């Protein structure tokens, strides 16, 4: 069975600046997928909707909701993610910025090959906290904490993971 696939999207994009402090963005449409395996093609909705509110130059809040379909690395299934995320970013002292982001994804797995049985669905909860210092316009250092939790319908795929780390970015 061949897991190769192609897809096309028919999308409408929009941006609405409500005020100098609030903007709304959206992309919505349909996605057509065809499969080399002979599996029946699909037509599914896709969208990303977001809002950014910036009450002060140093503070911003974001909200995002989305539905998307992505192929797996193995190629034998796709996953459909329906979720949302929220975040806040605050400039603390000159070049020091803190951010906190959290979200939720309901991920359903769609099999593309025959002979495999997998009715898997995951509820995924990421939380990310960053503290970034911009040394100059090219160099930034970041301390971060990431908490990931996956509650899967198949127990062996459920997990809780925490990461703490440091990152150095050079942009040119």
């Amino acid at each position: 069975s061949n897991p190769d696939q192609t897809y096309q999207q028919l999308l409408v994009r929009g941006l609405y600046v409500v005020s100098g402090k609030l903007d709304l963005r959206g992309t919505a449409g349909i996605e057509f997928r065809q499969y080399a395996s002979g599996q029946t093609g699909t037509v599914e909705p896709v969208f990303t909707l977001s809002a950014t509110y910036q009450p002060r130059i140093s503070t911003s809040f974001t909200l995002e909701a989305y539905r998307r379909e992505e192929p797996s690395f193995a190629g034998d299934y796709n996953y459909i993610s329906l979720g949302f995320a929220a975040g806040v970013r605050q400039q603390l002292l000159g070049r020091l910025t803190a951010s906190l982001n959290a979200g939720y994804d309901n991920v359903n797995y769609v099999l593309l090959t025959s002979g495999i049985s997998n009715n898997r669905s995951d509820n995924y909860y990421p939380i990310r906290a960053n503290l970034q210092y911009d040394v100059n316009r090219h160099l930034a250092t970041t301390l971060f904490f990431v908490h990931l939790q996956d509650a899967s319908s198949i127990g062996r795929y459920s997990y809780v993971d925490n990461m703490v780390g440091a990152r150095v970015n050079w942009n040119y």
Side-chain angles (χ1 to χ4, degrees):
S1 172
N2 187 347
D4 289 345
Q5 60 187 287
T6 58
Y7 71 93
Q8 304 79 35
Q9 293 180 327
L10 179 61
L11 301 172
V12 174
R13 294 178 189 223
L15 166 64
Y16 179 59
V17 179
V18 178
S19 69
K21 297 181 179 192
L22 176 64
D23 69 66
L24 306 173
R25 298 172 188 264
T27 302
I30 53 176
E31 181 175 274
F32 304 91
R33 283 189 183 260
Q34 303 84 37
Y35 304 95
S37 66
Q39 178 177 336
T40 304
T42 58
V43 178
E44 299 284 345
V46 291
F47 68 87
T48 300
L49 304 172
S50 66
T52 302
Y53 176 61
Q54 190 170 8
R56 293 184 297 275
I57 193 83
S58 60
T59 307
S60 64
F61 298 92
T62 58
L63 288 174
E64 180 181 51
Y66 46 83
R67 184 193 186 282
R68 50 186 162 243
E69 183 170 350
E70 302 287 339
S72 69
F73 288 113
D76 56 349
Y77 63 88
N78 285 357
Y79 60 94
I80 297 173
S81 180
L82 178 64
F84 65 88
V88 60
R89 188 171 194 275
Q90 175 68 50
Q91 185 176 2
L92 300 174
L93 302 168
R95 299 180 190 181
L96 186 64
T97 305
S99 63
L100 178 64
N101 297 288
Y104 167 78
D105 281 292
N106 176 260
V107 181
N108 289 300
Y109 294 79
V110 178
L111 292 171
L112 303 178
T113 57
S114 60
I116 302 173
S117 176
N118 182 4
N119 294 323
R120 181 177 167 192
S121 178
D122 291 12
N123 291 303
Y124 183 69
Y125 308 91
I127 300 171
R128 293 176 174 81
N130 291 309
L131 190 59
Q132 179 174 311
Y133 180 73
D134 295 326
V135 177
N136 58 40
R137 69 184 193 118
H138 297 290
L139 181 64
T141 59
T142 305
L143 298 175
F144 63 88
F145 170 76
V146 179
H147 172 81
L148 303 172
Q149 182 174 344
D150 188 346
S152 180
S153 62
I154 299 176
R156 71 174 181 247
Y157 295 114
S158 294
Y159 65 88
V160 175
D161 193 16
N162 294 304
M163 294 181 280
V164 175
R167 181 172 47 239
V168 176
N169 294 337
W170 174 261
N171 296 314
Y172 178 69

